[in-house]
Amino acid sequence: MTTSIIGKEISAPIWGGHCPALLTTWSEIKKLGFKKRDRSFGHIVDENGKDIPALFFYATKHCCSLSDEQLNKCRFEWYVTTETLDEISD
């Protein structure tokens, strides 16, 4: 069963392509079990074509703090927030 979190599905620029991701707040991402240290840095492009710095969280084995049980509850492989590293905490 997936953990229900609030967000908007986007197509995020990841590794030279675009992947489905959930754009949401850190408080929502944290419900899945992610830790601050699990983040990667990147950017998303808004509807006006402007680059916006973002933090990416990758829900896959050996790349994050999530247990197998927590990983099974994730609907998306990628979760994204536009909050800054200074604005989030465990």
Side-chain angles (χ1 to χ4, degrees):
M1 173 159 194
T2 60
T3 298
S4 180
I5 64 171
I6 300 166
K8 175 184 173 187
E9 186 172 349
I10 63 169
S11 180
I14 298 170
W15 293 332
H18 281 81
C19 297
L22 190 70
L23 177 62
T24 188
T25 63
W26 169 242
S27 61
E28 292 293 312
I29 293 170
K30 200 158 73 164
K31 289 178 185 177
L32 296 168
F34 282 102
K35 303 291 183 197
K36 183 177 180 176
R37 68 176 176 262
D38 296 325
R39 91 281 179 237
S40 297
F41 297 97
H43 71 276
I44 58 174
V45 179
D46 72 7
E47 56 276 351
N48 298 318
K50 180 181 175 190
D51 282 348
I52 299 173
L55 300 175
F56 288 73
F57 295 85
Y58 189 29
T60 191
K61 198 172 186 109
H62 306 300
C63 285
C64 64
S65 301
L66 303 183
S67 67
D68 288 344
E69 182 179 335
Q70 289 170 315
L71 283 170
N72 289 335
K73 293 181 179 181
C74 291
R75 276 187 343 182
F76 290 85
E77 191 173 33
W78 289 97
Y79 293 86
V80 181
T81 183
T82 56
E83 293 165 273
T84 67
L85 197 56
D86 291 335
E87 294 172 323
I88 68 172
S89 64
D90 288 336

